[in-house]
Amino acid sequence: MNMAVLSLNEVASTRVDLLTVAEMVQPGSRVLDVGCGDGALLELLSERRSVDGRGIELSQAGVNECVAKGLHVIQGDADTDLVAYPDDAFDYVILSQTLQATFAPKTVLEHMLRIGRRAIVSFPNFGHWRIRTHLAFRGRMPVTETLNQAWYDTPNIHFCTIRDFVALTQLVNARVEKAVALDQAGHPVRVDAPWWFWNIFGQQAVFLLRRG
Amino acid sequence: MTTRALKSPLRLSEVDNPSSLVARFGPADPLRLDCGVELSPFQIAYQTYGELDARKANAVLVCHALTADQHLANRHPVTGAQGWWTTMVGPGRPIDTNRFFVICTNVLGACMGTTGPASINPETGRPWGLDFPMVTIRDMVRAQAKLLDRLGIDSLFCVLGGSMGGMQVLQWAASYPERVFCALPIATAAKHTAQNIAFHEVGRQAVMADPDWRKGRYAEEGTRPSKGLGVARMAAHITYLSEKALHRKFGRNLQDREAPTFSFDADFQVESYLRHQGMSFVERFDANSYLYVTRAMDYFDLAADYGGVLARAFQGSSTRFCVVSFTSDWLFPTADSRATVHALNAAGGSVSFVEIATDKGHDAFLLDVPELFATTGGFIDAAARARGLGPARLISEGMVSGLPQERAEDRIEEARPARSSSKAGSGR
């Protein structure tokens, strides 16, 4: 990843996973951000990449914040609303840190690849070594800095590891064009490392997919 | 009743000589209606608030609902009640009259100064009655466009409205996409459903079953179908609320009594409330207008004009949309708004959508619902920036155009808390 183009200040003030996603988007493209939250990524994309962006967000507060920023965001749900979008409506459909909170991740991914020519998915890696050790030694569901809710409170109902996700991409017949794993500090894990290495040291992963 | 004796002449005088601005269109300027008739002459009564800027870029059109009118932010000339949308429109409101030039027209077929069945038919010298041609939502919008032409306003910064007003917003966006910068359809639908047509039919049959209706010739015969129109309003009013809101407001509470009277008197508060709604409605509205305007809503099916595909109505549109629905609205449920949103998505349109959680039912768009103002305010503000409109200016009351002088006092009156029931009662 060409992170060098971003100044240190920018990196400090913006979530690295969002920047990583932004790096994957071609300037001037049409983008749908599924689960866009307060619109941080859409704003970043329209500033840096001049995209024509749209969003879907579950929470009313999130939608209001987005609308007040001048973003085009509809209140809705990845599980129920993607079905209404026509084929090839967007260049990219992005699912940022939301996959694990959907009811049907496989169906959502299939819709993303139908609606968009490319799909970008970022998710927390449940195979990260800290999570493994947490489960192995404490015998309890892991609660970490980034995944900080107890199992009975968390909206994250479908965790997966990087290897699980790679298997899912094969299942839905998607091609991985690019993949980045970020370590605890938000730095990319060595590019030439094998999947098993990423699966242990990547705290989160960002995948750029296209139909196979 | 004495109030009726007092108010009726006032209401009737508003039909042809409204106490608002009015634009008259002569024989050279007919209005072509969907039913094939060329309506001429005709007039449009309208109200304006705020000032048009030098570029004529800050005009906002507010479209009113079924039984509301142009008096959205001033005291009503017949009822004396405050304007029906002062929560949304006014200084410092989401539609800030210090920033925007707000226009609201009485719709075609209504009875507050725009030509309708209560108006005098110039050919006969009598009220039109049922000789008035059937009008549609598209006809209402055509009439509004003619008014804007006359005012020299090529494009609107925003068109907004709730319920039937929202239907006009959608029609505006479809018919004149190049004239609408942003559109705010609230608690509405791109078509009237079977259930809604059914409710309207009950209302119309109630009017026509009243012996005083006289086949629509009640004005000449000196009668008024108050009973029928009152019942129509009572039935309709239920659909504007939610079960929860009714329960919260009234429950099974008795009206001014300790025990049931074992009669058909209005024992329950909810009965008394509905009777009041029905009675106050007939003081301000014309029965034939009620037939015509409900019919216009029934005929509304935007997709039908575009081969049955709603997305085609918005194809290529650059209008920015913000669609709003309410969770407890069972008259225009969220699914209706979602259908519009999906069509806009399919057309590649710029659309935002929010479903606001409230138990206030369909009426929520007229009431004090902070989330509604947060959403619409944010949308309007962002769109104004995109349009290059400046922030609100401090304008003295005297600069408000289109308002008679005494309106400045109304502003002060408006600051008083209003009873929500009476305010909502005149808004749709």
Side-chain angles (χ1 to χ4, degrees):
Chain A
M1 289 302 301
N2 185 11
M3 301 294 283
V5 294
L6 306 164
S7 76
L8 277 176
N9 279 344
E10 284 170 323
V11 173
S13 64
T14 312
R15 278 166 45 193
V16 183
D17 62 313
L18 298 189
L19 292 171
T20 309
V21 170
E23 289 291 330
M24 292 179 174
V25 173
Q26 289 293 319
S29 45
R30 272 178 64 80
V31 173
L32 176 65
D33 183 5
V34 183
C36 61
D38 64 2
L41 177 60
L42 280 174
E43 273 199 309
L44 185 73
L45 287 170
S46 76
E47 281 166 24
R48 300 277 175 80
R49 288 286 188 252
S50 311
V51 304
D52 181 9
R54 303 282 188 276
I56 300 179
E57 169 57 28
L58 197 56
S59 79
Q60 191 179 302
V63 176
N64 276 356
E65 230 174 305
C66 291
V67 170
K69 287 173 179 169
L71 300 169
H72 307 298
V73 173
I74 71 165
Q75 191 169 7
D77 191 331
D79 282 301
T80 53
D81 286 279
L82 291 180
V83 65
Y85 286 82
D87 298 355
D88 295 318
F90 293 92
D91 298 311
Y92 298 89
V93 179
I94 300 172
L95 193 66
S96 171
Q97 306 290 337
T98 304
L99 181 72
Q100 74 282 356
T102 62
F103 277 107
K106 176 168 171 275
T107 312
V108 166
L109 190 58
E110 283 167 339
H111 274 304
M112 291 174 69
L113 290 159
R114 175 185 65 78
I115 298 164
R117 289 174 183 82
R118 287 184 171 80
I120 299 174
V121 183
S122 75
F123 59 91
N125 173 28
F126 214 65
H128 187 250
W129 65 269
R130 284 179 64 131
I131 288 176
R132 293 185 194 211
T133 51
H134 199 114
L135 192 58
F137 293 110
R138 296 196 195 170
R140 305 276 304 268
M141 281 300 281
V143 177
T144 66
E145 264 172 49
T146 44
L147 304 171
N148 55 8
Q149 285 153 302
W151 66 272
Y152 48 81
D153 265 343
T154 180
N156 301 321
I157 52 174
H158 280 127
F159 276 123
C160 68
T161 69
I162 290 177
R163 293 193 94 152
D164 285 329
F165 187 77
V166 171
L168 180 62
T169 62
Q170 288 160 358
L171 201 61
V172 300
N173 198 25
R175 218 169 44 189
V176 178
E177 283 206 330
K178 210 180 261 183
V180 179
L182 302 171
D183 65 19
Q184 260 170 281
H187 299 305
V189 179
R190 276 175 44 210
V191 180
D192 55 350
W195 286 125
W196 68 261
F197 188 85
W198 279 26
N199 205 21
I200 292 175
F201 294 103
Q203 194 179 53
Q204 43 185 321
V206 186
F207 278 75
L208 173 63
L209 309 173
R210 69 178 304 166
R211 279 169 236 161
Chain B
M1 281 192 299
T2 51
T3 51
R4 185 179 304 172
L6 273 173
K7 282 177 179 171
S8 285
L10 192 58
R11 182 179 68 78
L12 291 176
S13 77
E14 290 289 330
V15 170
D16 291 304
N17 297 299
S19 53
S20 69
L21 299 171
V22 59
R24 295 188 164 84
F25 296 81
D29 209 358
L31 184 67
R32 200 150 314 174
L33 303 175
D34 279 339
C35 66
V37 171
E38 286 202 346
L39 185 63
S40 178
F42 72 101
Q43 66 182 40
I44 301 170
Y46 65 104
Q47 197 66 288
T48 73
Y49 311 86
E51 271 213 334
L52 190 60
D53 67 14
R55 291 192 297 145
K56 297 189 174 183
N58 68 335
V60 171
L61 179 69
V62 176
C63 302
H64 70 69
L66 177 60
T67 70
D69 48 46
Q70 68 273 35
H71 302 285
L72 75 93
N74 57 261
R75 195 157 290 285
H76 196 275
V78 177
T79 67
Q82 69 166 352
W84 56 268
W85 222 8
T86 51
T87 50
M88 183 65 84
V89 181
R93 302 292 191 197
I95 305 297
D96 193 333
T97 45
N98 288 336
R99 190 179 197 184
F100 304 114
F101 177 63
V102 180
I103 308 159
C104 185
T105 79
N106 190 215
V107 298
L108 201 63
C111 52
M112 282 300 288
T114 295
T115 305
S119 308
I120 299 297
N121 179 352
E123 279 183 20
T124 62
R126 305 188 304 162
W128 278 96
L130 295 199
D131 292 337
F132 192 69
M134 202 59 79
V135 295
T136 65
I137 299 291
R138 190 160 61 173
D139 294 330
M140 294 173 183
V141 166
R142 276 196 194 106
Q144 289 161 349
K146 271 178 129 28
L147 174 67
L148 291 188
D149 291 342
R150 181 164 292 186
L151 296 178
I153 296 170
D154 292 332
S155 105
L156 291 161
F157 163 64
C158 181
V159 185
L160 77 156
S163 197
M164 187 184 85
M167 290 177 165
Q168 294 163 67
V169 173
L170 295 174
Q171 186 68 61
W172 258 100
S175 294
Y176 307 101
E178 71 290 347
R179 297 185 80 165
V180 182
F181 186 76
C182 71
L184 194 42
I186 304 170
T188 192
K191 64 169 185 288
H192 220 212
T193 62
Q195 177 173 274
N196 290 359
I197 295 168
F199 280 127
H200 275 175
E201 177 60 2
V202 169
R204 285 189 294 263
Q205 289 301 328
V207 170
M208 293 191 270
D210 188 327
D212 284 342
W213 180 61
R214 309 283 167 97
K215 293 192 181 338
R217 289 273 156 227
Y218 48 88
E220 295 140 82
E221 304 203 7
T223 61
R224 283 187 73 192
S226 302
K227 286 258 163 52
L229 185 60
V231 169
R233 182 62 169 181
M234 287 168 76
H237 197 87
I238 301 168
T239 69
Y240 303 148
L241 307 173
S242 70
E243 197 276 335
K244 212 170 170 184
L246 273 178
H247 179 76
R248 178 162 43 78
K249 254 180 171 167
F250 308 109
R252 293 183 50 83
N253 297 341
L254 299 179
Q255 179 72 28
D256 303 328
R257 63 203 67 188
E258 295 298 318
T261 61
F262 296 100
S263 73
F264 294 111
D265 202 12
D267 276 355
F268 293 100
Q269 278 182 9
V270 66
E271 294 174 301
S272 166
Y273 170 78
L274 279 184
R275 288 183 189 190
H276 169 77
Q277 290 296 332
M279 268 162 30
S280 54
F281 179 61
V282 302
E283 300 300 338
R284 68 175 180 86
F285 212 81
D286 176 65
N288 285 338
S289 271
Y290 193 77
L291 304 181
Y292 275 85
V293 181
T294 55
R295 203 70 182 135
M297 288 180 79
D298 292 351
Y299 281 141
F300 188 61
D301 180 3
L302 191 53
D305 298 335
Y306 296 86
V309 181
L310 186 57
R312 285 193 200 140
F314 308 116
Q315 208 70 52
S317 168
S318 60
T319 302
R320 305 154 74 104
F321 290 83
C322 181
V323 179
V324 179
S325 72
F326 301 100
T327 49
S328 54
D329 184 350
W330 57 284
L331 195 60
F332 290 91
T334 291
D336 289 351
S337 286
R338 276 200 190 280
T340 302
V341 171
H342 290 157
L344 282 162
N345 278 331
S350 304
V351 56
S352 292
F353 165 64
V354 63
E355 180 190 29
I356 290 168
T358 171
D359 70 356
K360 291 175 176 166
H362 182 59
D363 259 355
F365 79 94
L366 295 164
L367 301 174
D368 186 15
V369 178
E371 296 81 5
L372 172 65
F373 309 131
T375 303
T376 52
F379 172 73
I380 292 290
D381 201 48
R385 272 182 272 125
R387 171 93 158 181
L389 297 178
R393 293 172 304 140
L394 284 174
I395 300 177
S396 67
E397 294 287 351
M399 285 174 72
V400 175
S401 68
L403 293 173
Q405 289 303 311
E406 71 269 20
R407 293 287 155 73
E409 293 165 30
D410 291 352
R411 286 289 160 79
I412 299 158
E413 294 284 319
E414 280 163 20
R416 294 189 316 199
R419 286 180 309 140
S420 60
S421 61
S422 67
K423 190 166 53 174
S426 60
R428 28 130 190 82

